[in-house]
Amino acid sequence: CGAAEFDKISVRQKEARKLRRLASRLPWPVKSQNQSDEGDEENLYRDSEVKVNVLLQSHFLRIELSPDLMQDRIEIVNECSTLLKAMVDVVSSQGWLAPLIQVMELSQMITQAVWQKDSELKQIPYFTDEMIQKSKDFGVDSVVGILEMKEEEREAVLKGLKKEELNEVIEFCNGFPTIEMEYRVSGDVVAGKPMRVEVELEREEEEEEWW
């Protein structure tokens, strides 16, 4: 949140109070590298770094904001996408697997506006917490699972959606990437020695006809 790319994100007059109220709804406490942790509550929410932190967390929670804060959040999310792409390039070129996975997971969180712990179903348009819970009651917690549900179960989950909304749900689910992976190891595996691994990825293109 302290990247130079966010320096243009300023705290407007009387905005600190809004940010403080918003921060009270967030799961992670906000801190600033420019402020001590004690006795600086008054100035904490006047820090642009803290504002970026608060707005990013609100993005993952999909909290509705005022027009000004919403515009700031859009700018922050766009900058994050650019920064994360650069981080993927740097980390992958160094061969650092664990950091690469973390950056890619964060990139998905930014793109889909979800926490890592959230259900995959939250990515589906118009899916509410109630619909997600109904899906789980039927033993489904994935987009592919929605496609494979029995028709009566799926209708019970999607009950209440308008025709246009249903069409968007169908389009999203049919476009969701289902990828099968196969791999082959060539030669003997010896500790500390290079080895050749051939990986084959195949994406299923079949569309599901619901109605």
Side-chain angles (χ1 to χ4, degrees):
C1 295
E5 284 79 0
F6 298 129
D7 287 347
K8 60 184 177 183
I9 303 296
S10 60
V11 179
R12 300 179 185 87
Q13 206 170 24
K14 299 182 180 180
E15 201 171 62
R17 187 174 298 177
K18 293 181 182 179
L19 294 172
R20 180 186 299 178
R21 288 199 301 265
L22 184 57
S24 67
R25 302 167 59 185
L26 304 178
W28 292 94
V30 294
K31 295 181 181 180
S32 170
Q33 296 178 358
N34 302 322
Q35 320 262 326
S36 64
D37 292 340
E38 298 180 3
D40 216 354
E41 183 76 11
E42 184 67 26
N43 292 321
L44 180 64
Y45 294 97
R46 295 194 178 100
D47 191 314
S48 60
E49 179 183 328
V50 170
K51 179 176 179 177
V52 172
N53 187 324
V54 169
L55 293 186
L56 266 181
Q57 290 197 59
S58 75
H59 174 65
F60 299 140
L61 292 172
R62 302 183 180 185
I63 296 175
E64 292 292 330
L65 302 174
S66 64
D68 286 342
L69 287 178
M70 183 64 76
Q71 184 58 44
D72 289 336
R73 190 167 75 181
I74 291 172
E75 292 184 24
I76 291 169
V77 168
N78 289 338
E79 287 290 355
C80 282
S81 298
T82 303
L83 283 170
L84 289 169
K85 288 176 183 176
M87 290 175 67
V88 168
D89 291 340
V90 172
V91 174
S92 59
S93 68
Q94 297 296 322
W96 298 333
L97 180 58
L100 177 61
I101 292 174
Q102 292 174 340
V103 172
M104 294 179 71
E105 288 177 346
L106 179 57
S107 179
Q108 286 299 306
M109 289 169 56
I110 293 288
T111 301
Q112 300 294 343
V114 295
W115 288 102
Q116 185 181 9
K117 63 180 178 59
D118 287 339
S119 168
E120 181 181 303
L121 298 176
K122 198 169 183 179
Q123 302 176 55
I124 302 177
Y126 309 110
F127 256 56
T128 62
D129 290 340
E130 182 182 358
M131 295 168 71
I132 291 173
Q133 186 57 53
K134 283 184 179 179
S135 301
K136 290 181 178 179
D137 292 342
F138 288 118
V140 172
D141 194 24
S142 69
V143 176
V144 174
I146 294 293
L147 293 171
E148 296 175 347
M149 289 179 78
K150 296 178 180 178
E151 185 174 345
E152 60 271 17
E153 294 176 348
R154 188 163 54 221
E155 287 180 353
V157 171
L158 301 177
K159 184 179 180 181
L161 291 183
K162 300 176 183 177
K163 184 177 180 180
E164 296 79 8
E165 295 171 342
L166 283 173
N167 289 337
E168 287 189 49
V169 172
I170 294 171
E171 183 179 0
F172 175 88
C173 291
N174 281 330
F176 195 81
T178 303
I179 299 175
E180 293 186 357
M181 183 183 76
E182 295 182 359
Y183 68 92
R184 295 176 292 278
V185 178
S186 302
D188 297 329
V189 178
V190 180
K193 298 292 184 181
M195 57 181 292
R196 180 183 177 86
V197 180
E198 297 178 4
V199 179
E200 182 178 342
L201 301 177
E202 182 179 356
R203 177 172 177 172
E204 295 184 8
E205 299 290 348
E206 181 181 355
E207 290 193 359
E208 193 80 13
E209 296 293 338
W210 291 10
W211 294 283

